[in-house]
Amino acid sequence: MTLRALDRAEELLTATLLAAMTLLTFIQVVLRDLFESGLVWGLEATVYMFGWLVLLGISGVVRTDGHIAVDILTKHLGPSARKAAALLATGLCLLYTGLMLAASWTLVARLQAFGSLAHDLPLPRWVLLLSLPIGFALLGLRLIQATVGIVRGTRPVSGHGHTPTGLDTERQ
Amino acid sequence: MTPVFLIGALLVFLALRMPVAIALGLSSVLTLWLFGEQTLLSLAQTFFRAMEVYPLLAVPFFIMAATFLTSGGVARRLSDFAIALTGRLRGGLAMASVLACALFAAVSGSSPATVVAIGSITIAGMVGAGYRREYAAGVVTSAGTLAILIPPSIVIVVYGAITETSVRSLFMAGIVPGLVLTALMMAAIPVFAGRDGLPAQTLAVSWREIVRAGQSAFWGLLLIVIVLGGIYGGVFTPTEAAAVSAVYAVVVAVFVYRDIGVRQIPEVLVRSVRVTTMLMFIVANAYLFAFVLTTEQIPQGISASVLALDLAPWEFLMLLNLILLVAGTLMDPTSVVLILAPIVFPIATELGIDPVHLGIIFVVNLEIGLVTPPVGLNLFVASAVSGLPVTSVIRASVPWLVLLLGFLVLVTYIPWISLALPGLMLS
């Protein structure tokens, strides 16, 4: 299935980004403290990699339903009311995603029109910031997937919250 | 009208069980859309700023370090060392659990990670030695909160970033309160053991064994020296220290202790990514929230009405503690810091409260939030680790809650505890 392939690609890419930005920062420290030199573009590259990491990762967390939510109210509702609340919540999440996607698109389009370049990296800024529209588009895709799941009843609308899953345990 | 809409929308969204990140983001975006004159473009820029703020780069690195340290054998060796140190005392195993949490807190900045790492080792050990399981779980649940107070701490990094306070000073400020709380908790072990008392049996640990346990834990202990020494010695920034400890954690777990195979590295990285993005998505949306607060001058409004009450600083701090305690029971520590710090910070500054002291007050309140229902993360994690129902863990944590509340009063009203060390080291 293509969505499954997308999951794997997201995981592979974000894990690589994390490893790369960690190593890059570490190398910068070594270069500076031991050899009194450094990579001019190091920090900027790390920042943009961080951007890609976070934005590509957001949708993965929706997929595994790991985002932190407060569920003191909805857990007292009946099943159909709970389903309605879940649909309303997902609809509002889609509204947010749509607005942020539009905002990201506007920013990227503006930067491309101005042709502004990054400080130290030899790349235009709009390319580096493509993480924003792509990340929000993927988030939208996952939310639509979640909506379909709630309507069909294949996705549980309660029970994540603060259950001690592997995810929660490493959250601070 | 604007603040009412912003806060009202946020509360409604949270009640609908929307993710905290999106609730923050959507309430901010809607407020700007309805009342503000900001362009769409500035929203995207503000969101992305969370990834550009230098101190916040420490977040993924510290999370990665914690994940590798938890999966690797560092936690076990630190626990063994702690047990060797306190084994001769009555209640030594429970004291060792507190000490092990404190040691792990000095290499990791995440509280639930500490409960998992230390609890999965020491709870079984304590039960085997004759402690009640509830008591053992209570000890680790509470001592695990040391992780956000003792540096490095992710909550402190986030507080420093959002209030533009030096993370280095905040880290230094956490040390003395962290040590005091560790000592108080160790001293409370026999007191809280209650009528059942502590198992009379103690371990006869020889000096040789202590040295051997220390040698075995050497790589973990060295990390404490590298991170804290490096930051305070000015060798590197907290962000760089985080990257160094992440690389160090991988090397120690994979090549020195060999608890994680090379082929398992991607899996642990993916876990770190999950935690990082979850947290950073909240932080990025909190930047939108803070942006609305600033452009609509909401803190100034709240500040004016609070200052009009003519509260003495101690009254304000009491009010602040109450608000933070309530917020801490409902949300995770990072979310509380991100929502409340931008509102409270200007008022506190106006009243002459030191930003670093304020940060430590936030952290100690949120430690309490970690062990209070309904949203006390440590309770759920400890329940999973100990195999006890959450309600038993909650009950077992009550005496510790009282201790933490007493400690909160100390930290709130004696700024010296937090400020002495940064003052000494920065002068």
Side-chain angles (χ1 to χ4, degrees):
Chain A
M1 231 181 105
T2 45
L3 277 175
R4 192 74 42 84
L6 189 62
D7 297 349
R8 292 300 304 160
E10 270 169 20
E11 284 184 355
L12 191 70
L13 199 57
T14 50
T16 311
L17 283 166
L18 178 60
M21 60 187 279
T22 311
L23 277 177
L24 185 55
T25 308
F26 178 75
I27 290 169
Q28 287 277 63
V29 176
V30 173
L31 285 179
R32 190 196 55 215
D33 286 344
L34 299 183
F35 303 100
E36 288 178 12
S37 76
L39 309 163
V40 188
W41 47 269
L43 183 59
E44 194 175 42
T46 310
V47 164
Y48 286 111
M49 281 198 271
F50 191 24
W52 282 94
L53 164 74
V54 172
L55 281 146
L56 292 178
I58 296 169
S59 55
V61 186
V62 169
R63 174 163 53 83
T64 53
D65 205 0
H67 280 294
I68 302 174
V70 181
D71 57 358
I72 43 169
L73 258 181
T74 50
K75 70 180 174 194
H76 298 298
L77 297 174
S80 57
R82 200 183 289 177
K83 188 168 174 175
L87 279 177
L88 178 58
T90 320
L92 287 167
C93 290
L94 272 168
L95 172 65
Y96 162 85
T97 311
L99 286 167
M100 289 307 292
L101 182 57
S104 310
W105 190 254
T106 318
L107 174 66
V108 169
R110 183 74 57 89
L111 287 172
Q112 194 202 9
F114 284 166
S116 54
L117 291 173
H119 283 289
D120 305 311
L121 291 168
L123 282 170
R125 254 172 70 81
W126 72 270
V127 175
L128 295 165
L129 284 174
L130 271 179
S131 53
L132 279 164
I134 293 177
F136 283 112
L138 286 170
L139 177 62
L141 183 69
R142 298 300 183 185
L143 284 169
I144 292 167
Q145 210 183 339
T147 314
V148 173
I150 294 170
V151 172
R152 285 195 190 148
T154 52
R155 183 188 175 92
V157 290
S158 66
H160 111 78
H162 299 278
T163 47
T165 61
L167 276 175
D168 294 32
T169 56
E170 281 147 39
R171 189 199 291 161
Q172 42 134 5
Chain B
M1 188 56 215
T2 322
V4 177
F5 179 83
L6 177 70
I7 308 287
L10 175 63
L11 293 177
V12 170
F13 296 157
L14 287 175
L16 277 171
R17 212 175 141 276
M18 283 168 66
V20 173
I22 298 185
L24 268 172
L26 186 58
S27 54
S28 316
V29 173
L30 288 180
T31 308
L32 284 178
W33 192 28
L34 294 174
F35 302 99
E37 285 154 19
Q38 305 301 322
T39 53
L40 270 179
L41 187 136
S42 60
L43 291 180
Q45 276 172 326
T46 308
F47 181 94
F48 200 79
R49 193 164 305 144
M51 274 65 78
E52 295 172 321
V53 174
Y54 183 70
L56 285 174
L57 267 178
V59 170
F61 303 148
F62 276 134
I63 288 173
M64 182 174 155
T67 317
F68 274 92
L69 292 171
T70 313
S71 317
V74 174
R76 184 162 47 79
R77 289 171 179 86
L78 287 178
S79 301
D80 288 345
F81 177 55
I83 292 168
L85 283 178
T86 59
R88 283 170 165 277
L89 303 168
R90 185 145 184 213
L93 218 44
M95 291 179 193
S97 302
V98 175
L99 192 57
C101 283
L103 287 173
F104 198 75
V107 293
S108 133
S110 157
S111 185
T114 306
V115 175
V116 172
I118 303 301
S120 51
I121 299 156
T122 60
I123 293 177
M126 281 190 271
V127 172
Y131 291 82
R132 283 185 305 120
R133 188 174 288 275
E134 287 76 11
Y135 181 73
V139 171
V140 177
T141 310
S142 322
T145 66
L146 285 167
I148 61 171
L149 179 61
I150 297 179
S153 154
I154 294 169
V155 177
I156 287 183
V157 169
V158 171
Y159 173 89
I162 199 97
T163 62
E164 296 181 353
T165 307
S166 151
V167 174
R168 192 187 297 242
S169 306
L170 286 163
F171 273 5
M172 275 191 243
I175 295 181
V176 174
L179 292 176
V180 171
L181 185 55
T182 308
L184 283 175
M185 284 179 158
M186 288 174 75
I189 291 289
V191 182
F192 289 166
R195 269 172 307 171
D196 301 345
L198 296 164
Q201 188 191 352
T202 55
L203 298 169
V205 192
S206 68
W207 283 106
R208 284 245 317 267
E209 283 168 303
I210 294 179
V211 171
R212 199 174 315 134
Q215 281 171 340
S216 171
F218 174 76
W219 297 102
L221 297 170
L222 183 61
L223 182 54
I224 301 178
V225 177
I226 295 176
V227 171
L228 299 188
I231 296 175
Y232 307 134
V235 182
F236 33 63
T237 63
T239 300
E240 290 170 344
V244 170
S245 63
V247 171
Y248 183 95
V250 177
V251 171
V252 169
V254 177
F255 300 108
V256 180
Y257 290 151
R258 295 167 192 268
D259 299 298
I260 297 177
V262 175
R263 308 175 107 232
Q264 284 165 280
I265 294 178
E267 191 189 307
V268 186
L269 281 175
V270 167
R271 271 215 310 273
S272 317
V273 167
R274 288 261 159 78
V275 183
T276 303
T277 50
M278 195 160 54
L279 201 62
M280 286 309 298
F281 192 38
I282 299 180
V283 175
N285 283 290
Y287 269 80
L288 289 175
F289 187 72
F291 180 63
V292 183
L293 290 178
T294 317
T295 54
E296 303 298 316
Q297 305 209 326
I298 293 171
Q300 287 84 335
I302 298 177
S303 182
S305 44
V306 172
L307 292 174
L309 292 175
D310 214 16
L311 293 173
W314 73 270
E315 291 169 316
F316 169 75
L317 285 175
M318 194 156 78
L319 185 68
L320 174 66
N321 280 334
L322 286 176
I323 293 171
L324 285 174
L325 286 174
V326 172
T329 64
L330 297 175
M331 279 184 290
D332 67 289
T334 319
S335 305
V336 176
V337 167
L338 289 169
I339 295 172
L340 289 180
I343 300 177
V344 169
F345 192 79
I347 309 175
T349 320
E350 194 74 27
L351 286 171
I353 294 157
D354 188 280
V356 173
H357 181 215
L358 183 70
I360 302 301
I361 294 176
F362 260 82
V363 170
V364 175
N365 273 292
L366 297 172
E367 282 191 78
I368 297 172
L370 283 167
V371 295
T372 43
V375 190
L377 285 175
N378 282 19
L379 297 170
F380 296 95
V381 177
S383 152
V385 171
S386 64
L388 286 169
V390 179
T391 44
S392 309
V393 181
I394 294 174
R395 224 171 299 131
S397 306
V398 171
W400 299 98
L401 196 61
V402 177
L403 178 96
L404 282 167
L405 284 169
F407 179 66
L408 174 64
V409 174
L410 284 183
V411 166
T412 306
Y413 293 112
I414 312 177
W416 184 86
I417 303 177
S418 318
L419 298 176
L421 192 60
L424 198 70
M425 296 189 70
L426 292 173
S427 63

